[in-house]
Amino acid sequence: MLADIQSWGETLRLLVELAGTAAFALSGLLEAARKRLDAVGVCVVACVTAFGGGTLRDLLLDRRPFFWVQHVELLWGVMALCVLVMLFMRQRHFEVTEKAIQWPDALGLGLFTATGVHLALNEQMPMLVAVLMGVTTGVFGGVLRDVVCNEVPTAFRDHRPYAVCAFAGGWIYAGLGLLDAPGWVALVACVVVTAGLRLMALWRNWELPAWRV
Amino acid sequence: MLADIQSWGETLRLLVELAGTAAFALSGLLEAARKRLDAVGVCVVACVTAFGGGTLRDLLLDRRPFFWVQHVELLWGVMALCVLVMLFMRQRHFEVTEKAIQWPDALGLGLFTATGVHLALNEQMPMLVAVLMGVTTGVFGGVLRDVVCNEVPTAFRDHRPYAVCAFAGGWIYAGLGLLDAPGWVALVACVVVTAGLRLMALWRNWELPAWRV
Amino acid sequence: MLADIQSWGETLRLLVELAGTAAFALSGLLEAARKRLDAVGVCVVACVTAFGGGTLRDLLLDRRPFFWVQHVELLWGVMALCVLVMLFMRQRHFEVTEKAIQWPDALGLGLFTATGVHLALNEQMPMLVAVLMGVTTGVFGGVLRDVVCNEVPTAFRDHRPYAVCAFAGGWIYAGLGLLDAPGWVALVACVVVTAGLRLMALWRNWELPAWRV
């Protein structure tokens, strides 16, 4: 019974991870299309968006191997996704895709944040650094995508809460860890808070406080 | 008496380090305001400008932990600075701020350069590489700021000597080290030369030789 | 006799490496001139273009020392090249330079790709990752050049096969390695395939398949 629940939990986690990775890759693909990149650019930007955040975190924490080296099938998967999308996706599908990836993107943001905080705490990082590593994991894929595509990163200028949701979720994860809560409780709480805040922000059009210079 | 001087030296060094970090963060804040970033962007750009150079150096030298992990209070300090600045600084304060940070920025440039050269020499880097690591420490925070803000880095196009001053100071530091001068002599010489050249350049409107294509 | 051939091979390899590095540096210099960078920017962009790809590969594989630390004379060489170019090259030489570097650039792309694949396989990377490390070695110098110069990377948008040639050559190298071919056979095959495809692509105006959105 307990084993059953655990295995269900594992499966669910894997599904969220795959959905989140696909959502990140798709957001890279959309940006690449907008910038009229060629086939090489499309694949690179999709991979950078999908794997950039976790890779930057691993670089900063000096962890090896990267997760996309350990699970090279993820890399194959994203490249297959690129080919399929270039064959079958057209301008008229862009808007509906953008809508469709909001949910998996928000869930992925929560999961990747929790993973980042977890790994950083394992390496004895201070709490603030661990939370920022979580935010980095979730957010810097998109930042690198925008840097490569020669844009000011959306996450830094669109006044929509995104990194802030991950920041809140990260503190929840680190705080529950401090209270010796079981790992899966902290994980679920982090995902629920992060994704919940993000989806609320999109639904209610919340805006970040602006610096009125 | 000697202990007194040493402790004075240490305090002075810490003051310059804090002032330099604050000056770098402020230059990031001004750029973020110019680009109308949101609160998240403002904080990220300030942190990247303040810590980016040293972090890149540590990545290249494969040193861990990063100084902002060891002294996480620096990170808290820059974030507090961001909040204060967003609350109280307005457009009309920008020009005076830009003037006010010239001195601490120049002193910080000198100190960070010396630190970079010192750490690289400790890892048995060749002299040229050590000096370039010093320059990287001082200059690449600003470079990363401009890359994230989608500008050609100021340090590469404004024809004002900046990296060149750090380069000169770095050679002074490495050269004095070769002559077995005491560490604090090399440090002071590097800061004086770097900051002196930089401030002279600003005062006399020195320009870098241009490539007349 | 055999020793003779080996030493000839080594010399040839070194020549290609130097020519490739110079070609990469020159492409950085041309871009820096187009962007009207100052002397500091010119040198940094030339170094980033020449050494950026290999450095990123070494960062990702966690290899130290970097090759430009081990062979610091390469760094001196590129800096001397920068000074010479700024003194003597003018607008009217740009077009002929661009033509002249096509051959060494293509050969260098092949050699650097082979080196990248080789080093990654040595670190037990999976084949796909090793090939991508080869491509990174050859291509990301130019990508970093364009990011620093605030352009969408040429390699991602000009529809000319470049990374794709390295990708093909990389698989050749990895495949021949799998078949236990001697190292120099794999190396020569990789260079011939990569450079051959690249030069054919330039000569015949091949275009990458575009994503018709």
Side-chain angles (χ1 to χ4, degrees), chain A residues 126-142:
Chain A
M127 296 260 289
L128 175 63
V129 174
V131 172
L132 291 179
M133 287 293 162
V135 177
T136 302
T137 313
V139 175
F140 265 75

Side-chain angles (χ1 to χ4, degrees), chain B residues 18-203:
Chain B
L18 291 180
T21 304
F24 280 29
L26 278 166
S27 96
L29 285 162
L30 292 177
E31 180 77 12
R34 249 175 251 124
K35 287 283 182 172
R36 314 228 154 277
L37 300 188
D38 58 30
V40 168
V42 165
C43 291
V44 173
V45 170
C47 286
V48 162
T49 316
F51 304 125
T55 304
L56 180 58
R57 175 205 63 212
D58 286 354
L59 267 179
L60 293 175
L61 293 178
D62 207 10
R63 292 183 70 247
R64 298 291 187 295
F66 296 124
F67 61 106
W68 45 269
V69 168
Q70 236 170 341
H71 303 283
V72 80
E73 57 275 12
L74 273 175
L75 209 49
W76 284 111
V78 168
M79 291 179 88
L81 184 69
C82 291
V83 173
L84 288 176
V85 160
M86 279 193 278
L87 286 176
F88 299 115
M89 198 189 279
R90 295 291 168 268
Q91 186 85 52
R92 63 181 180 279
H93 307 122
F94 281 10
E95 213 174 315
V96 65
T97 308
E98 224 153 302
K99 283 264 159 170
I101 62 178
Q102 283 182 354
W103 271 81
D105 183 276
L107 290 169
L109 179 66
L111 180 62
F112 298 146
T113 301
T115 317
V117 178
H118 180 74
L119 293 172
L121 287 176
N122 267 6
E123 312 252 344
Q124 329 300 346
M125 292 290 134
M127 295 261 289
L128 175 62
V129 174
V131 172
L132 291 179
M133 287 293 162
V135 177
T136 301
T137 313
V139 175
F140 266 74
V143 171
L144 289 175
R145 172 198 65 204
D146 294 342
V147 167
V148 168
C149 289
N150 204 21
E151 299 277 349
V152 179
T154 320
F156 297 165
R157 72 177 156 78
D158 73 347
H159 294 267
R160 293 295 189 86
Y162 189 73
V164 157
C165 310
F167 194 69
W171 279 110
I172 298 283
Y173 190 94
L176 286 175
L178 213 64
L179 299 174
D180 276 325
W184 69 267
V185 172
L187 176 65
V188 169
C190 174
V191 173
V192 167
V193 168
T194 306
L197 284 175
R198 170 64 178 165
L199 292 169
M200 281 292 287
L202 286 177
W203 182 44

Side-chain angles (χ1 to χ4, degrees), chain A:
Chain A
M1 178 65 201
L2 189 72
D4 254 34
I5 293 180
Q6 265 189 338
S7 113
W8 265 92
E10 270 311 297
T11 310
L12 194 65
R13 187 205 157 105
L14 186 66
L15 280 179
V16 172
E17 197 174 322
L18 292 180
T21 305
F24 280 29
L26 278 166
S27 95
L29 284 163
L30 293 177
E31 180 77 12
R34 249 175 251 124
K35 287 284 182 171
R36 314 230 153 276
L37 300 188
D38 58 30
V40 168
V42 165
C43 292
V44 173
V45 170
C47 286
V48 162
T49 316
F51 304 126
T55 304
L56 179 58
R57 174 204 64 211
D58 286 354
L59 266 179
L60 293 175
L61 292 178
D62 207 10
R63 293 181 71 246
R64 297 290 188 295
F66 296 124
F67 60 106
W68 45 270
V69 168
Q70 237 170 339
H71 302 284
V72 81
E73 58 275 12
L74 273 175
L75 210 49
W76 283 112
V78 168
M79 292 179 89
L81 183 70
C82 292
V83 173
L84 288 176
V85 160
M86 279 193 278
L87 286 177
F88 299 115
M89 199 190 279
R90 295 293 169 266
Q91 187 85 51
R92 63 181 180 280
H93 307 123
F94 281 10
E95 212 174 316
V96 64
T97 308
E98 222 153 302
K99 283 265 158 168
I101 62 177
Q102 283 182 355
W103 271 81
D105 183 276
L107 290 170
L109 178 65
L111 180 63
F112 298 146
T113 301
T115 316
V117 178
H118 181 74
L119 293 172
L121 287 176
N122 267 6
E123 312 252 342
Q124 331 299 346
M125 292 290 135
M127 296 260 289
L128 175 63
V129 174
V131 172
L132 291 179
M133 287 293 162
V135 177
T136 302
T137 313
V139 175
F140 265 75
V143 171
L144 289 175
R145 171 199 67 204
D146 294 342
V147 167
V148 168
C149 289
N150 205 24
E151 299 277 349
V152 179
T154 320
F156 297 166
R157 73 176 154 80
D158 74 347
H159 293 269
R160 294 294 188 88
Y162 189 74
V164 158
C165 309
F167 193 69
W171 279 110
I172 297 283
Y173 188 94
L176 286 174
L178 213 65
L179 299 174
D180 275 325
W184 68 268
V185 171
L187 176 65
V188 169
C190 174
V191 173
V192 167
V193 168
T194 306
L197 283 175
R198 171 63 178 167
L199 293 170
M200 281 292 287
L202 286 177
W203 182 44
R204 307 291 263 163
N205 276 314
W206 284 349
E207 292 221 340
L208 285 176
W211 176 8
R212 299 186 197 293
V213 287

Side-chain angles (χ1 to χ4, degrees), chain C residues 101-125:
Chain C
I101 62 179
Q102 283 182 354
W103 271 81
D105 182 276
L107 290 169
L109 178 65
L111 180 63
F112 298 146
T113 301
T115 316
V117 178
H118 180 74
L119 293 172
L121 287 176
N122 266 5
E123 312 251 343
Q124 331 298 347
M125 292 290 134

Side-chain angles (χ1 to χ4, degrees), chain A residues 31-45 147-150, chain C residues 31 34-35 98 139 142-143 145-147 149-164 198 206-211:
Chain A
E31 180 77 12
R34 249 175 251 124
K35 287 284 182 171
R36 314 230 153 276
L37 300 188
D38 58 30
V40 168
V42 165
C43 292
V44 173
V45 170
V147 167
V148 168
C149 289
N150 205 24
Chain C
E31 180 76 12
R34 248 175 252 123
K35 287 284 182 171
E98 224 153 302
V139 175
V143 171
R145 172 199 65 204
D146 294 342
V147 167
C149 289
N150 205 21
E151 298 277 348
V152 179
T154 320
F156 297 164
R157 72 178 156 80
D158 74 348
H159 293 268
R160 293 293 189 87
Y162 190 73
V164 157
R198 172 65 178 165
W206 284 347
E207 292 222 339
L208 285 175
W211 176 9

Side-chain angles (χ1 to χ4, degrees), chain C residues 5 9-10 12-13 16 107 110-111 114-115 169 172-173 176 181-196:
Chain C
I5 293 180
E10 270 311 297
L12 193 65
R13 187 206 157 104
V16 172
L107 290 169
L111 180 63
T115 316
I172 297 283
Y173 189 93
L176 286 174
W184 69 267
V185 172
L187 177 64
V188 169
C190 174
V191 173
V192 167
V193 168
T194 306

